[in-house]
Amino acid sequence: MANILITGSNRGLGLEWVRQYAEAGWRVFATCRYPEEAVELAQLADRYRSVRLYRLDVTNVGQIVALAEELKETPIDILINNAGVYPEKFLPLNAPLNYEDWAYTFQVNTMAPLRLTKTFVESLACSEKRLVVAISSHMGSISEITSPGSYFYRSSKAALNAVMKGLSLELKPLGIGVLLLHPGWVRTRMGGIDAPLSAEESVRVMRERIAAFTLADTGRFFRYDGSEIRW
């Protein structure tokens, strides 16, 4: 049975990643900050015996190290760095900027994926699939910036892209791939009710990108539909 580790699993895309991979017969290590409050995630764990829940705040180094220690004998075929924040989402353009929020956005969206990946390198290296997936956004593409605002989120995702591109070169000699994906505009709490894509559709199509991945694609940035995004 293949193993997948997913961050931010309690709602939205994270919850859908868990559901689809569990349904496909994978062993799923689902993490979130407050498992005791993740009712839908707990229901999935009850339905699928292959789903295991773990407490993980991706900004908490101690929790990351503890999880890695707990899973140290377990190969991780795929690590999905899904957890993310967008604190400016519902703020007007001229709202005062809270620079502490900006720092936190970088901790979650940029620093945590690198820290998690490096912490789990050995578990990835001893698996069959050997793949790191970073859920980015087309908003992190400088060439696609067409409006002002969202400075925290955009910069954190642009930085994530740069970090993962560099990391892909570091990990390629180990046979570990890095795939950057934009999930599209999805109807989640972050995406809002007007988004055209359901979480089910977005994850289903992204899973196709994952299944087709080869090391020739490592470090590249794709939309969920397979089209490549310029940096």
Side-chain angles (χ1 to χ4, degrees), residues 32 46 88 124 126 160:
C32 63
D46 287 340
E88 315 138 275
L124 286 157
C126 68
L160 172 66

Side-chain angles (χ1 to χ4, degrees), residues 5 11 83 96-97 115 127 135 147 163 174 210 216 219:
L5 173 61
R11 61 174 176 266
L97 297 179
R115 180 176 283 134
S127 73
I135 303 304
S147 61
V163 165
L174 300 176
I210 289 172

Side-chain angles (χ1 to χ4, degrees), residues 14 67 72-73 83 145 150 166 198 209-210:
L67 180 61
K72 67 179 180 179
E73 303 298 331
I145 296 177
S150 298
S198 67
R209 307 281 80 77
I210 289 172

Side-chain angles (χ1 to χ4, degrees), residues 1-222:
M1 182 182 291
N3 301 315
I4 185 167
L5 173 61
I6 304 167
T7 65
S9 299
N10 55 309
R11 61 174 176 266
L13 288 174
L15 187 68
E16 188 61 25
W17 283 115
V18 174
R19 187 189 69 78
Q20 291 195 25
Y21 273 103
E23 194 172 76
W26 286 58
R27 181 181 293 111
V28 181
F29 304 112
T31 74
C32 63
R33 287 186 297 169
Y34 307 112
E36 65 278 4
E37 298 177 7
V39 176
E40 291 179 276
L41 183 57
Q43 290 171 346
L44 284 178
D46 287 340
R47 187 185 314 164
Y48 299 102
R49 297 183 63 184
S50 61
V51 175
R52 303 178 185 178
L53 308 187
Y54 297 89
R55 182 183 306 279
L56 181 65
D57 179 339
V58 296
T59 69
N60 187 313
V61 179
Q63 289 184 10
I64 293 172
V65 171
L67 180 61
E69 179 65 22
E70 186 168 352
L71 299 179
K72 67 179 180 179
E73 303 298 331
T74 304
I76 301 296
D77 291 273
I78 302 176
L79 167 60
I80 297 189
N81 288 295
N82 171 79
V85 294
Y86 188 172
E88 315 138 275
K89 173 69 177 180
F90 301 106
L91 294 178
L93 181 61
N94 60 353
L97 297 179
N98 183 325
Y99 289 90
E100 291 182 359
D101 286 347
W102 195 357
Y104 181 70
T105 303
F106 261 81
Q107 288 177 40
V108 176
N109 293 356
T110 309
M111 298 168 67
L114 177 61
R115 180 176 283 134
L116 276 155
T117 301
K118 282 187 165 289
T119 302
F120 282 92
V121 160
E122 292 184 6
S123 297
L124 286 157
C126 68
S127 73
E128 292 189 12
K129 184 68 175 176
R130 299 183 181 187
L131 179 60
V132 178
V133 178
I135 303 304
S136 186
S137 170
H138 76 112
M139 292 178 69
S141 166
I142 294 174
S143 65
E144 295 200 6
I145 296 177
T146 58
S147 61
S150 298
Y151 301 116
F152 302 171
Y153 187 75
R154 287 186 187 280
S155 62
S156 72
K157 291 298 186 179
L160 172 66
N161 293 346
V163 165
M164 287 294 158
K165 176 64 177 179
L167 188 61
S168 71
L169 302 175
E170 178 182 340
L171 298 183
K172 188 174 182 180
L174 300 176
I176 300 172
V178 176
L179 177 61
L180 286 147
L181 289 175
H182 165 50
W185 185 14
V186 186
R187 290 190 299 276
T188 62
R189 189 173 76 169
M190 183 182 293
I193 61 174
D194 295 327
L197 286 173
S198 67
E200 186 280 331
E201 181 180 4
S202 174
V203 170
R204 174 169 46 81
V205 180
M206 285 193 288
R207 286 180 57 223
E208 294 174 3
R209 307 281 80 77
I210 289 172
F213 178 86
T214 70
L215 272 181
D217 293 324
T218 194
R220 297 172 69 186
F221 184 19
F222 296 98

